[in-house]
Amino acid sequence: MSDTHPWWERGVVYQIYPRSFQDSDGDGIGDLPGIERRLDHVAALGVDAIWLSPIFPSPMKDFGYDVADYCGIAPIFGDLAAFDRLCAAVHARGLRLILDFVPNHSSDQHPWFQDSRSSRDHPRRDWYIWRDAAPDGGPPNNWISDFGGSAWEWDAATGQYYLHAFLKEQPDLNWRNPGLRAAMMDVLRFWFDRGVDGFRIDVLWHIVKDEGFPDNPLNPAWTPDRTERDRVLQLHSTDQPEAHAISADFRALADAYGDRVLIGEIFLPNDRHARWYGTLERPQVHLPFNFQLIENGWDARILHRLIADYQASLPPHGWPNWVIGSHDAPRIAARVGEAQARVAAVLLLTLRGTPTFYQGDELAIGEVPIPPDRVCDPQDLRQPGLGIGRDRSRTPMPWDASPYAGFSTVEPWLPLNPDWPTRNVAAQDRDPASMLSLVRRLLALRRAHEALSVGAMTLLDGDGDVLAYERRVGSERLLVALNLGSVAATFPVPADAELGEVLLSTHPAHGADGKLAADEALIVLLKGKHR
Ligand code: NOJ
Ligand code: MG
């Protein structure tokens, strides 16, 4: 293999939601020793890196995305010694460890915010974003929190409003303040020095706001069935030019440590999204998360177009990436059904670009009903009835058929998937036709055929429900053909090639008939045509 591609270009990232991976101390909540105990599963899958959602001390109002100490470990998850053990165990398996960095906001319980709200004169007052009331006493502008309601909270003690893009318990930090900036760079150093291989950066495009705090424009497309956030376009509250310099500073620091990766959470249209790569001279994040597979319909023609547009939008030095599931998005198998979830796994793991694979999707966990009295997600609790709950994607990993699915010895914090007695890791491990076996085969194939990770990609013109593309490196050529429909279909083959060996099919007994069965995805070797 050529070594011109760094590990994060070739590799696959596996997202672990720590509360829901494995409980080790019988409190119904996953923890770091639990993750360590289950590393064999991660290694056997064949991924390259683990990204952990936040593990830091937190009141857990937003399940860890409200950080009260950036350099500690929440006691429910363990302590720094447990973290060091986990980090060493991950590295011992040849895997990398990526943490979640939450720079836009802290918890209101963070000592910095306690200082900031203590008085208008405190040196840390300006580490957060404080503004006077509007002349009528109301909030300074019309900005809306992502979780609904005004993005401003009144502080009676000091007579000003503070900004919070999410919960009022998540005050936004002021990245225009040099002291705050320096303190946050020290946070990155703290974890890099401890050996972490990178960060996923939470809502990176949010971190700087327009200095004049003008009203956001109203969204003409808003309808009452949409979230309150969408009433306005976040034109002035996100994606400000000054944020790119900070993103470049993060990158410079990461590069000084060598071989680390920064993944930015960014929801923007292609042209604005691509800017987060920075320039070759002053690069920014390695991978601005690409959520288009989550945000668009499961339709071959839509996918064909979005893949082409996304590829075309990348700067020459920009490496692509793909996400299909996360702790925020509905489960892929709930969206498209189990048969198509297999097709989706083939797509995610064979597109050109670094895939992020979400825990539990290797079992094709589908819809998990959450009884009303067990809803935990603040976004859902604040805006009920919109069907935007995130708990259903955060349910515990079902490991086996023992009580509580081997996740815990007590009732877990969220319910298990209802079919856990049969849909669990142990059951699927024994079944060569399972989703788990398919994902393992896919990842092994990706490792064995360089074309699938770093090869060039050419989209082919398929019809109807068929999406097809070629991956190629040197003389190795592979065809990926996906049937997103429920009737058999033909698939296109490049004019200068003919079909060779079928390397993988989502269907157990695929015949070499040059066709796709209903809901089938295929990976086939291509041979150059002999004249
Ligand atoms: C994005 C995270 O993925 C989500 O879970 C969280 O609620 C928000 N950012 C706020 O931190
Ligand atoms: Mg626990």
Side-chain angles (χ1 to χ4, degrees):
M1 282 204 205
S2 64
D3 56 6
T4 51
H5 291 273
W7 64 269
W8 50 268
E9 289 187 359
R10 291 180 181 280
V12 177
V13 178
Y14 182 73
Q15 181 190 355
I16 289 182
Y17 194 68
R19 288 183 78 86
S20 297
F21 203 58
Q22 174 68 53
D23 179 20
S24 74
D25 58 357
D27 64 356
I29 298 173
D31 43 51
L32 300 188
I35 296 171
E36 190 181 340
R37 217 173 92 199
R38 294 295 187 183
L39 283 181
D40 286 346
H41 170 72
V42 182
L45 264 184
V47 297
D48 300 83
I50 296 170
W51 151 36
L52 300 179
S53 282
I55 52 174
F56 317 108
S58 164
M60 299 288 166
K61 297 282 181 200
D62 190 20
F63 297 101
Y65 286 95
D66 47 328
V67 178
D69 171 4
Y70 286 100
C71 296
I73 301 292
I76 52 159
F77 293 139
D79 54 20
L80 280 172
F83 173 80
D84 289 341
R85 277 195 301 275
L86 174 63
C87 190
V90 167
H91 287 158
R93 283 174 171 75
L95 300 169
R96 315 270 177 156
L97 190 61
I98 298 170
L99 293 187
D100 213 313
F101 180 51
V102 189
N104 179 68
H105 45 267
S106 72
S107 161
D108 63 346
Q109 300 305 305
H110 196 295
W112 296 344
F113 189 67
Q114 301 290 319
D115 287 348
S116 184
R117 79 181 323 173
S118 67
S119 103
R120 288 201 189 194
D121 303 324
H122 194 284
R124 289 213 177 97
R125 178 69 168 182
D126 186 47
W127 283 31
Y128 292 82
I129 298 174
W130 295 94
R131 282 290 173 283
D132 290 335
D136 67 355
N141 65 23
N142 73 348
W143 294 2
I144 296 174
S145 151
D146 272 33
F147 293 155
S150 171
W152 296 95
E153 181 70 10
W154 177 248
D155 180 57
T158 58
Q160 281 190 312
Y161 282 92
Y162 67 85
L163 181 70
H164 57 92
F166 296 89
L167 295 174
K168 68 176 173 22
E169 293 87 356
Q170 294 169 290
D172 277 36
L173 289 155
N174 179 15
W175 279 84
R176 294 183 187 274
N177 180 291
L180 177 273
R181 261 155 101 144
M184 289 300 258
M185 295 302 269
D186 283 346
V187 169
L188 295 177
R189 283 190 197 95
F190 176 86
W191 293 109
F192 277 142
D193 287 340
R194 266 196 133 80
V196 312
D197 299 288
F199 292 93
R200 173 269 192 188
I201 307 177
D202 191 66
V203 296
L204 176 59
W205 87 113
H206 267 264
I207 61 175
V208 179
K209 346 283 167 188
D210 187 318
E211 247 176 328
F213 291 88
D215 274 354
N216 273 326
L218 297 181
N219 176 6
W222 188 79
T223 46
D225 57 333
R226 298 182 57 178
T227 62
E228 243 187 89
R229 177 197 65 188
D230 291 342
R231 268 176 190 273
V232 297
L233 302 171
Q234 298 185 325
L235 185 71
H236 304 299
S237 49
T238 66
D239 200 31
Q240 296 300 299
E242 295 91 335
H244 289 285
I246 297 167
S247 170
D249 287 350
F250 292 159
R251 174 62 178 268
L253 181 68
D255 284 351
Y257 279 89
D259 215 19
R260 316 288 167 116
V261 69
L262 296 178
I263 306 172
E265 189 200 16
I266 294 153
F267 284 89
L268 286 172
N270 277 339
D271 52 337
R272 302 184 76 111
H273 189 263
R275 292 186 208 158
W276 290 88
Y277 284 104
T279 60
L280 199 52
E281 299 72 41
R282 188 137 161 78
Q284 299 179 35
V285 292
H286 303 79
L287 302 172
F289 255 153
N290 166 18
F291 298 110
Q292 296 186 52
L293 297 178
I294 290 176
E295 295 194 295
N296 287 278
W298 190 245
D299 172 282
R301 304 283 49 86
I302 293 176
L303 292 177
H304 185 108
R305 196 197 179 110
L306 79 81
I307 294 165
D309 290 350
Y310 173 63
Q311 293 213 110
S313 77
L314 299 176
H317 59 283
W319 183 254
N321 78 93
W322 299 94
V323 186
I324 216 164
S326 80
H327 64 296
D328 293 332
R331 285 276 180 196
I332 181 67
R335 265 180 68 200
V336 303
E338 176 157 7
Q340 283 295 320
R342 291 169 175 248
V343 176
V346 176
L347 177 71
L348 176 70
L349 298 174
T350 61
L351 280 172
R352 183 165 188 269
T354 306
T356 299
F357 198 95
Y358 182 52
Q359 83 173 43
D361 283 349
E362 70 270 46
L363 305 174
I365 294 175
E367 195 60 63
V368 184
I370 310 290
D373 63 339
R374 294 201 61 183
V375 173
C376 297
D377 174 15
Q379 174 175 273
D380 200 15
L381 288 168
R382 289 173 54 83
Q383 301 181 82
L386 293 183
I388 53 172
R390 301 176 295 177
D391 294 325
R392 56 194 169 160
S393 314
R394 300 176 176 182
T395 59
M397 272 294 275
W399 294 101
D400 54 41
S402 67
Y404 308 114
F407 168 75
S408 181
T409 50
V410 300
E411 179 68 31
W413 73 288
L414 279 176
L416 289 152
N417 48 300
D419 51 358
W420 68 268
T422 50
R423 188 180 300 283
N424 61 58
V425 172
Q428 294 204 9
D429 179 63
R430 290 187 295 267
D431 175 4
S434 69
M435 179 74 162
L436 178 59
S437 299
L438 171 71
V439 172
R440 286 180 182 157
R441 275 191 293 140
L442 264 169
L443 286 164
L445 201 64
R446 210 185 132 89
R447 216 171 274 281
H449 295 271
E450 215 184 3
L452 288 177
S453 55
V454 298
M457 180 164 87
T458 310
L459 283 162
L460 303 173
D461 289 322
D463 292 328
D465 289 328
V466 173
L467 178 71
Y469 45 90
E470 181 182 340
R471 300 295 312 273
R472 179 178 198 155
V473 74
S475 59
E476 183 179 72
R477 301 177 67 181
L478 273 66
L479 178 80
V480 181
L482 314 172
N483 187 355
L484 276 68
S486 50
V487 290
T490 55
F491 58 87
V493 179
D496 64 343
E498 53 194 46
L499 296 175
E501 186 193 344
V502 173
L503 297 176
L504 178 140
S505 164
T506 51
H507 287 27
H510 175 87
D513 58 357
K515 279 202 166 164
L516 286 165
D519 302 309
E520 183 177 24
L522 271 184
I523 305 177
V524 193
L525 269 179
L526 289 177
K527 303 180 289 192
K529 263 188 189 157
H530 297 298
R531 287 172 186 275

